[in-house]
Amino acid sequence: MTINTSRRNFLKTAAAATAVLYVGATSKGVSAASGSADAMLNPFVKIDSNGSVIAIVKHFEKGQGPATGLTSLIAEELGVTMDQIGYEFAPSNPEVYNNTLFGPFQGTGGSTAMANSWMQYRTAGANAREMLIKAAAKEWGVEASALDIQAGVISGAGHSAPLGAFVATAAGIAPSESPRLREPSEWKIIGNPNTKRKDSPIKVNGTAKFAMDVHLDNQMVVMIKRTPQRGGLVASFDDSAAKGVKGFIMAQALPTKHGVAVYAENTWAAMQAREALEVEWDLAAAETRSSQEIKDEVLAALGTAPTYNVNKADRAAVKSMVDGAATMIEKEFYFPLLAHAPMEPLNCTIEQTAGGDIVLHDGAQMPTGPHMAYQQIFGLPAEKIHIKTMLAGGSFGRRATPDADYQVEAGLAFVLTDRSRPVKLVWDREDDIRGGYYRPSAGHKVRVGLDGAGNIIGWEHQVAGQSIMKGTAFEAFAVHDGVDHSTVEGIADSPYAIPGMALGLTDTEKATSVLWWRSVGHTHTAYVMEVMMDLAARTVGQDPVAFRLKYLAGEADQARKAAVLKLAAEKGNWGKPAAGNVQGIAVHKSFGSYVAEVVEISGNLADGIQIEKVTAAVDCGIAVNPDVVKAQIEGAIGYGIGHAMRDQITLDGGAVEQSNFPDYEPLRISDIKAIETHIVASAEAPSGIGEPGTPPSAPALANAIAQLDLLVAELPMSANGVSFA
């Protein structure tokens, strides 16, 4: 199948349609509408005279649900059913389709899709409704207040007609700055547990088009031969043997010297030719450390005074309180590098149109990055670059890097050709595991002092790890007073009201390339906070739930965290496991949402343990699509627990030792017998859901294992005393 739709073609096609109504926001944020696509700047709603409604979705779909969630908001406010509305991914244009929580940048991440689009998309849908109603009222000679749209039909005051009949008239009506939003009592779609995903049918029947499915006429496939040690450069290469591979076209060193591009007629030929290629590498600037050396550096940093006093505490005073406490507990933790390992390895396809425009077909998580990079690579203005966003088979953060790494690879590989043929870049699983970006390694050292009544009076917490944001384009807004907040999030902003807390941070040298990973810093900070809270409770003989609640008795933020903790404990039969089983619990706030989880396990350390059930409670504000919320919690739990159980990326002389799923094993369906999710009813604005289920999963499991007299302070568990049935 040839896919050749560009943003320009999108606009031309839309302009040619008869009486199409576009509703959205201009580059200045002012609502606008027009019957002409050329007069409209990137709408959120598109309606044609046949009544066909399309939601223009600005967040890409990697499985987390925005194609359903954002479409639901438009459908609810407009007054159509989910069967009456479709969706398209927005073109690359950050002036309108920016993530409002990221600034002037179009991108999906940080579990922000619903949080930043909640009012934006509802307002767009409501404006479309009001404009159509005004058009009908004018034609019928009745008051607009007497009309409404339900199931795609405008009716009232004795009249009724499908909304498509009024598109032409509505296109000439100015939208309101503040249209009436439907009250929760009117909602039929938002919060409805029976609302199903828009993308499920096409994924089930095989018609869904992922980035890997793109196949343009006359395309070449390119694969990159990369250095085993990150940072190495091509010194020279010999493609003599590659020339004997049927389908091989050519091999060229990338202009950056970061690898050799191998071009072929198909993926198999590219793989075989790349394998036959002989390359001499310049490793002068490459990573050469081992995992043990990196670990030693991190742990050594915990033994010295921290570089940054994150919460500006009087560290000497806190130390004195901990030293003088009736009971003191101390623990050191270490977390290894982790790969993202999405099911669909990285890929994208690039072509040049007859007019010289560049079109990228990609599961584009942050299209602004490659868009800007391509302006430099090809020397073209922004309007000559187009990004066709496809579905992606997972990401967990990997498809969004500060340097648009794989899209730049594709662009540079395309530059090396005469551009007469499209080029499809394909990564295989070994590329993904060995040549990717990783969740940073991190270490924590915690000392907690408790008084005679078992109350915390001092908490010394030191973190050492590799900054994700420093040295990137995101440093300016993500790093303050030298502190990369992504390293200490979940501690520095914890809702727990812990007396006498001192939080310090030391950056260590980055290993290979590090990147955000599902829930970013919360992956390790939640583990430490929740394992230490459990350890403190058990040390002074108190119930872990009751102990936590003592430090969640204040303002609304604490009350919401306490509520999910209580709900998870209730639904998970806390304190009443099945005979022979033990339980662990953890609760954490991340990305504006609160999640508590109870993990119940059977078995023992000698014969292996089995996760019998995970019971989760979540408060993510208004649950727009409860079915999606539950699915995301289930996936996040599996992702967090699966990596904690078995996975790590290790280096030998700077080279990654793992290569594929046999030695970087994903969660198996048999690993967790059951997951049950309970959603807290809330009137708060929606918050994140793609990531918040991950942070409490591993510590809840660790706290269950601790009941078997093993506190796991270093991950993965399988390398530190735990076997699984």
Side-chain angles (χ1 to χ4, degrees):
M1 176 180 180
T2 299
I3 301 174
N4 57 12
T5 301
S6 67
R7 177 173 172 272
R8 173 171 294 180
N9 289 333
F10 167 84
L11 293 176
K12 286 182 177 180
T13 301
T18 303
V20 179
L21 173 63
Y22 296 87
V23 182
T26 68
S27 59
K28 296 181 179 180
V30 179
S31 294
S34 173
S36 168
D38 293 331
M40 182 60 212
L41 297 177
N42 298 293
F44 294 112
V45 186
K46 181 171 67 173
I47 310 173
D48 67 21
S49 57
N50 295 321
S52 174
V53 183
I54 299 294
I56 308 300
V57 176
K58 71 176 187 177
H59 293 284
F60 102 127
E61 179 67 72
K62 53 187 172 181
Q64 82 282 27
T68 302
L70 301 189
T71 302
S72 296
L73 303 184
I74 297 291
E76 187 74 85
E77 292 294 346
L78 176 57
V80 297
T81 68
M82 290 295 280
D83 290 335
Q84 294 173 319
I85 188 171
Y87 69 89
E88 295 174 1
F89 293 120
S92 175
N93 189 329
E95 289 187 359
V96 172
Y97 290 119
N98 67 306
N99 186 316
T100 59
L101 300 178
F102 288 179
F105 199 89
Q106 185 176 348
T108 304
S111 295
T112 59
M114 187 57 69
N116 89 95
S117 304
W118 167 244
M119 292 303 294
Q120 189 177 52
Y121 274 69
R122 288 184 66 199
T123 300
N127 245 328
R129 182 186 75 242
E130 288 196 355
M131 292 159 65
L132 288 162
I133 284 176
K134 287 177 182 178
K138 180 180 179 181
E139 184 169 322
W140 291 336
V142 301
E143 291 294 323
S145 59
L147 306 179
D148 193 14
I149 303 178
Q150 294 292 337
V153 176
I154 305 177
S155 61
H159 297 271
S160 178
L163 60 80
F166 304 99
V167 168
T169 303
I173 296 175
S176 169
E177 289 295 323
S178 54
R180 184 189 79 82
L181 301 178
R182 295 190 189 274
E183 296 294 330
S185 60
E186 302 176 73
W187 292 347
K188 294 180 173 64
I189 299 171
I190 296 174
N192 187 340
N194 295 317
T195 298
K196 301 303 181 185
R197 289 185 63 128
K198 293 292 291 182
D199 55 338
S200 289
I202 59 173
K203 290 177 177 177
V204 171
N205 66 27
T207 60
K209 297 300 178 185
F210 291 84
M212 191 67 86
D213 295 324
V214 174
H215 187 88
L216 305 183
D217 291 340
N218 199 34
Q219 74 177 21
M220 295 185 285
V221 172
V222 65
M223 300 188 79
I224 310 298
K225 182 88 166 184
R226 300 177 182 85
T227 172
Q229 291 97 335
R230 194 74 163 175
L233 301 174
V234 177
S236 64
F237 72 90
D238 181 356
D239 62 356
S240 300
K243 291 177 180 177
V245 174
K246 183 179 179 181
F248 171 74
I249 298 172
M250 65 176 180
Q252 297 281 344
L254 292 175
T256 58
K257 302 297 184 183
H258 286 127
V260 179
V262 178
Y263 304 77
E265 296 294 345
N266 54 63
T267 303
W268 179 245
M271 287 181 172
Q272 296 297 102
R274 185 179 63 167
E275 182 66 24
L277 199 69
E278 295 183 6
V279 183
E280 291 292 331
W281 299 102
D282 175 1
L283 302 178
E287 171 66 81
T288 59
R289 291 173 296 170
S290 68
S291 296
Q292 187 61 49
E293 288 174 301
I294 292 167
K295 178 182 176 182
D296 291 344
E297 290 173 13
V298 170
L299 297 184
L302 296 177
T304 61
T307 305
Y308 305 106
N309 184 350
V310 178
N311 64 343
K312 312 301 181 187
D314 184 339
R315 296 187 58 81
V318 172
K319 182 179 185 303
S320 179
M321 285 190 290
V322 173
D323 288 341
T327 302
M328 192 274 284
I329 55 176
E330 180 175 351
K331 208 70 186 173
E332 193 170 82
F333 298 81
Y334 183 72
F335 303 87
L337 297 168
L338 290 175
H340 299 78
M343 288 296 104
E344 180 190 16
L346 295 174
N347 65 92
C348 60
T349 304
I350 187 169
E351 64 174 323
Q352 181 170 290
T353 69
D357 292 18
I358 297 297
V359 181
L360 175 69
H361 306 266
D362 181 32
Q365 185 168 349
M366 289 190 176
T368 300
H371 203 140
M372 295 173 65
Y374 281 11
Q375 289 175 245
Q376 298 178 46
I377 291 173
F378 296 101
L380 293 173
E383 61 269 21
K384 298 283 283 184
I385 307 294
H386 316 284
I387 297 178
K388 172 68 173 178
T389 296
M390 312 297 295
L391 293 169
S395 172
F396 314 114
R398 180 59 185 92
R399 282 185 172 268
T401 61
D403 55 2
D405 70 311
Y406 71 95
Q407 296 104 331
V408 167
E409 276 189 351
L412 294 176
F414 193 54
V415 163
L416 293 174
T417 73
D418 63 6
R419 307 189 201 177
S420 64
R421 300 180 65 180
V423 168
K424 180 174 184 176
L425 171 72
V426 175
W427 285 45
D428 61 17
R429 181 61 57 197
E430 286 74 14
D431 290 328
D432 174 61
I433 298 296
R434 288 179 169 166
Y437 288 61
Y438 306 108
R439 196 281 304 269
S441 58
H444 293 243
K445 183 177 182 178
V446 187
R447 299 174 72 241
V448 179
L450 302 104
D451 64 17
N455 300 309
I456 297 172
I457 59 172
W459 185 297
E460 279 188 286
H461 200 137
Q462 191 165 339
V463 183
Q466 303 154 346
S467 168
I468 294 171
M469 302 297 185
K470 288 185 177 180
T472 75
F474 298 100
E475 182 171 356
F477 70 85
V479 177
H480 302 286
D481 297 326
V483 176
D484 181 345
H485 184 70
S486 71
T487 311
V488 294
E489 60 186 357
I491 309 171
D493 52 3
S494 171
Y496 283 130
I498 296 178
M501 173 176 269
L503 174 59
L505 169 67
T506 299
D507 293 325
T508 59
E509 184 182 347
K510 294 183 181 182
T512 65
S513 292
V514 297
L515 185 66
W516 37 73
W517 188 89
R518 193 172 191 171
S519 78
V520 200
H522 296 284
T523 61
H524 54 90
T525 61
Y527 191 95
V528 175
M529 291 295 294
E530 289 305 292
V531 168
M532 288 303 296
M533 288 296 281
D534 229 63
L535 178 59
R538 288 184 280 108
T539 299
V540 296
Q542 296 184 24
D543 174 72
V545 172
F547 184 82
R548 286 172 170 82
L549 290 173
K550 290 193 299 182
Y551 305 98
L552 295 171
E555 39 78 41
D557 195 34
Q558 295 175 340
R560 292 179 72 182
K561 186 173 180 179
V564 296
L565 178 62
K566 293 176 182 177
L567 182 59
E570 174 195 344
K571 299 297 184 179
N573 294 315
W574 176 251
K576 302 174 183 177
N581 293 356
V582 293
Q583 297 171 316
I585 196 165
V587 59
H588 193 72
K589 176 190 177 184
S590 62
F591 308 97
S593 295
Y594 309 77
V595 180
E597 296 168 17
V598 174
V599 172
E600 183 166 332
I601 62 174
S602 62
N604 55 64
L605 295 175
D607 301 319
I609 65 169
Q610 170 68 56
I611 301 171
E612 296 290 338
K613 186 177 182 181
V614 181
T615 304
V618 55
D619 177 356
C620 57
I622 295 168
V624 175
N625 302 126
D627 186 58
V628 172
V629 170
K630 289 183 177 181
Q632 284 304 294
I633 291 295
E634 291 174 3
I637 287 171
Y639 195 75
I641 284 180
H643 281 82
M645 287 169 66
R646 298 183 268 263
D647 290 332
Q648 62 179 323
I649 290 293
T650 58
L651 306 179
D652 181 7
V656 174
E657 295 183 291
Q658 292 71 31
S659 64
N660 209 311
F661 288 145
D663 51 14
Y664 194 87
E665 187 176 353
L667 185 85
R668 303 299 184 182
I669 196 168
S670 59
D671 286 331
I672 304 175
K673 286 188 175 180
I675 299 177
E676 184 179 286
T677 301
H678 301 272
I679 302 172
V680 174
S682 175
E684 299 290 336
S687 47
I689 198 57
E691 297 171 273
T694 293
S697 61
L701 173 59
N703 289 335
I705 294 171
Q707 308 306 309
L708 304 177
D709 296 323
L710 176 65
L711 194 154
V712 184
E714 182 175 344
L715 297 179
M717 293 176 174
S718 61
N720 291 280
V722 183
S723 61
F724 295 93

